[in-house]
Amino acid sequence: MIYTLTANPSLDYIVRVKNLEIGETNRAYETEIFAGGKGFNVSSVLSALGYDSIASGFTAGFSGAELERLLEARSFKKDFIPCSGRTRINVKLKAQEETEINGTGIEIDDAQVEELFDHYKAIADGDVLILSGSIPGCLDKDFYARILDSQKDKDVLFIVDASGELLAKSLPCHPFLVKPNQAEIEELLGIKIHDDDELIAAGRKLQEAGASNVLISRGAKGAMLIGEDGAIYEAGCPQGKLVNSVGSGDSMVAGFVAGWIDTHSLEEAFVQGIYCGSATAFCADLAQKEDIDALKASSPITVCRTA
């Protein structure tokens, strides 16, 4: 079984105005509300690829109830842990430029953390555990590391898609895969990366700290994988029109995991990750299987592999 965790989910409130005037009353011409959460996105794309998963998350209040309602249509299994307060609401303001205002996370107490750990006692040898995104401010930055450490006596594949201290503290737990972008690596290591050689060297440092494989998303440039086999895999993105980049990184994680389960080939998993991430970027919402298959048929990917 594949398990995903969204510790800090949200309702994403999209507001579109033609011309934002600061300090004035502005009228939106369109608004939308979406269920936000990186782990939920991963589970959604895994479902599109034919893989079952159990998505855990903390929810609270009226906004948490709406989040759960919006997720009902998604076919993965849900494992929500109720908390006090309310699930955060993130405002995405789209005008001449895009502005985001992210709400504060919910309050999670020790009993609710223990409930999650109790749920994860069901994780067994051969399962996959994917920890995605940020955590509420009430939780310590070793939260992901504590979860991984609780599974250390099992043969579980760990995937961590996080940044900063949350990622740093997870590395000694030897995740199979981490997926930072270049900016996140620069922040984590306190450096500025100028070229591919420096990016590879920085990725190697994450391996030295404990990660087996480092998948670096590079936007329009494609992606790079620093593999546990000693090889560097590089590939550009398929051609297409960017529609919405939200969820593309999560789709890449889902594709990589599905590709690895299917083939146990790092290169095949890498390619599947790029197709899934790109397909979502070219869609208004998360990519479906037909979107991914169509992209594969129209845009072959060439991988450059170096030792």
Side-chain angles (χ1 to χ4, degrees):
M1 178 58 71
I2 302 172
Y3 293 80
T4 68
L5 174 63
T6 303
N8 201 19
S10 65
L11 285 182
D12 289 345
Y13 182 43
I14 314 298
V15 181
R16 292 182 172 87
V17 298
K18 290 184 177 178
N19 185 39
L20 178 66
E21 296 183 29
I22 302 298
E24 301 294 335
T25 298
N26 293 267
R27 298 190 183 279
Y29 67 85
E30 185 179 46
T31 61
E32 297 174 281
I33 295 179
F34 295 98
K38 291 175 69 64
F40 299 143
N41 293 341
V42 173
S43 282
S44 296
V45 177
L46 283 170
S47 178
L49 294 171
Y51 286 89
D52 291 332
S53 67
I54 300 174
S56 296
F58 298 99
T59 63
F62 77 94
S63 50
E66 177 64 7
L67 175 76
E68 293 185 33
R69 187 191 71 79
L70 290 172
L71 290 172
E72 283 177 2
R74 303 196 193 182
S75 56
F76 55 80
K77 299 175 183 176
K78 291 87 174 174
D79 182 21
F80 299 118
I81 296 173
C83 301
S84 57
R86 59 179 177 267
T87 294
R88 64 181 179 148
I89 300 174
N90 296 336
V91 178
K92 316 290 186 180
L93 183 58
K94 298 180 183 291
Q96 307 96 306
E97 296 181 310
E98 188 168 313
T99 302
E100 297 189 10
I101 304 172
N102 288 345
T104 57
I106 57 179
E107 290 297 321
I108 302 170
D109 61 29
D110 290 343
Q112 289 147 358
V113 170
E114 286 305 311
E115 185 175 353
L116 176 69
F117 276 67
D118 285 342
H119 290 196
Y120 281 175
K121 288 178 181 177
I123 296 176
D125 290 347
D127 287 344
V128 179
L129 175 58
I130 304 172
L131 307 179
S132 299
S134 64
I135 59 174
C138 61
L139 297 176
D140 293 332
K141 294 298 185 180
D142 66 349
F143 182 61
Y144 281 176
R146 288 172 55 201
I147 293 174
L148 299 182
D149 190 60
S150 73
Q151 305 296 319
K152 65 182 179 181
D153 294 328
K154 304 173 188 176
D155 181 20
V156 177
L157 207 67
F158 300 142
I159 316 293
V160 178
D161 182 9
S163 60
E165 195 176 357
L166 194 60
L167 172 59
K169 290 183 178 295
S170 300
L171 294 175
C173 299
H174 303 291
F176 173 73
L177 180 74
V178 297
K179 194 209 69 62
N181 58 37
Q182 180 172 319
E184 289 167 341
I185 294 176
E186 290 175 334
E187 178 189 4
L188 182 64
L189 299 180
I191 61 174
K192 186 65 179 176
I193 296 169
H194 301 94
D195 55 37
D196 285 357
D197 288 340
E198 291 184 358
L199 183 59
I200 292 168
R204 295 284 194 207
K205 288 184 179 180
L206 300 190
Q207 284 185 317
E208 291 167 6
S212 296
N213 299 283
V214 182
L215 177 59
I216 305 170
S217 52
R218 308 181 74 189
K221 284 185 170 182
M224 176 186 291
L225 173 67
I226 301 171
E228 63 181 341
D229 58 356
I232 307 297
Y233 302 86
E234 296 180 74
C237 284
Q239 295 300 306
K241 180 182 177 182
L242 176 63
V243 176
N244 182 12
S245 63
V246 175
S248 60
D250 308 321
S251 301
M252 178 180 282
V253 169
F256 188 98
V257 170
W260 176 257
I261 292 172
D262 281 345
T263 67
H264 275 72
S265 162
L266 287 176
E267 183 168 337
E268 292 296 326
F270 178 58
V271 169
Q272 177 79 319
I274 293 175
Y275 274 125
C276 290
S278 298
T280 285
F282 301 155
C283 293
D285 201 353
L286 297 170
Q288 298 300 309
K289 189 174 188 302
E290 54 268 26
D291 303 312
I292 299 164
D293 289 344
L295 193 59
K296 286 181 178 179
S298 64
S299 303
I301 290 176
T302 300
V303 177
C304 176
R305 181 184 186 277
T306 56

